[in-house]
Amino acid sequence: MGASCCSPAHNHNHSHDHHDHDHDHGNAARPVLWIALLLNAGMFVVELGGGLSAGSTSLLADSADFLGDAANYGLALAVLSMALVWRARVALLKGITMGLFGLWVAAMTVNHALSGTVPEAATMGVIGFAALAVNVLVTVLLYRFRKGDSNMRAVWICSRNDALGNLAVMAAASGVFMTGSAWPDLAVAAFMAALALWGSAQVILHARRELRQDQAVAPVPGTAD
């Protein structure tokens, strides 16, 4: 990131090395992103079915998150070899999507709170544990890319948030089991909404910073190379 803040001449001298680094980084990330995509798509189906059968707001919220992440990994794969400006634009789109997801979960939490549905704790616990295992695996695989461009950073933040969310779902299952109340489930869903909004803000700020840096080093129209 620091190279983008250099003078145009200095930046030009290192552009070839920077491109080679991005290319190598992209090649290393590609198989990891495919694994993450397939695992998240599978867990979306599992959690959607489990959330509907158990009446769990937090499981439904997490299933929607898995679907969004699967789409995010697909987008990340699509732009992996493109210029930084396009990767930043996709990251900006993903940040906005994360924010919308957070708002949707918040609205769903309020709706379930008003309806007073008590979820099935056993289903929540089993599926929450399976989801946690998947997300921890994906987070470990993506850890080496966490300080990359905004595109890869967005992917890693999503995975990290998912693992935290799954821990919270399992805590909610324990709370529902012990109290017989829906409130632990609703509290976790609210936490997941806040986590999505926080992650959204991080990704959007990072992507906007990269876009501003790209504009700063772009050649002025009409000038010679």
Side-chain angles (χ1 to χ4, degrees), residues 172-187:
S174 299
V176 169
F177 178 76
M178 290 187 293
T179 65
S181 165
W183 285 109
D185 183 55
L186 297 172

Side-chain angles (χ1 to χ4, degrees), residues 93-143:
L93 174 64
K94 287 190 284 190
I96 293 170
T97 302
M98 288 169 67
L100 292 174
F101 163 75
L103 293 174
W104 176 75
V105 173
M108 191 168 62
T109 302
V110 172
N111 181 57
H112 276 242
L114 295 175
S115 66
T117 307
V118 178
E120 184 185 332
T123 303
M124 286 177 63
V126 171
I127 295 179
F129 182 79
L132 175 64
V134 166
N135 277 321
V136 168
L137 173 60
V138 172
T139 301
V140 169
L141 290 172
L142 290 169
Y143 184 76

Side-chain angles (χ1 to χ4, degrees), residues 31-78:
V32 174
L33 288 171
W34 271 113
I35 293 170
L37 169 60
L38 295 173
L39 288 174
N40 276 263
M43 280 309 305
F44 160 68
V45 175
V46 171
E47 279 206 318
L48 178 63
L52 290 172
S53 66
S56 169
T57 311
S58 57
L59 275 184
L60 287 175
D62 207 36
S63 75
D65 197 23
F66 269 117
L67 177 62
D69 285 348
N72 282 341
Y73 296 136
L75 283 172
L77 279 164

Side-chain angles (χ1 to χ4, degrees), residues 25 67 82 87 119-120 122 132 139 162 169 194-195 209 212 214:
H25 201 69
L67 177 62
M82 294 184 181
R87 300 202 302 271
E120 184 185 332
L132 175 64
T139 301
D162 288 348
V169 168
L195 202 60
R209 186 164 61 247
R212 284 197 301 270
D214 182 79

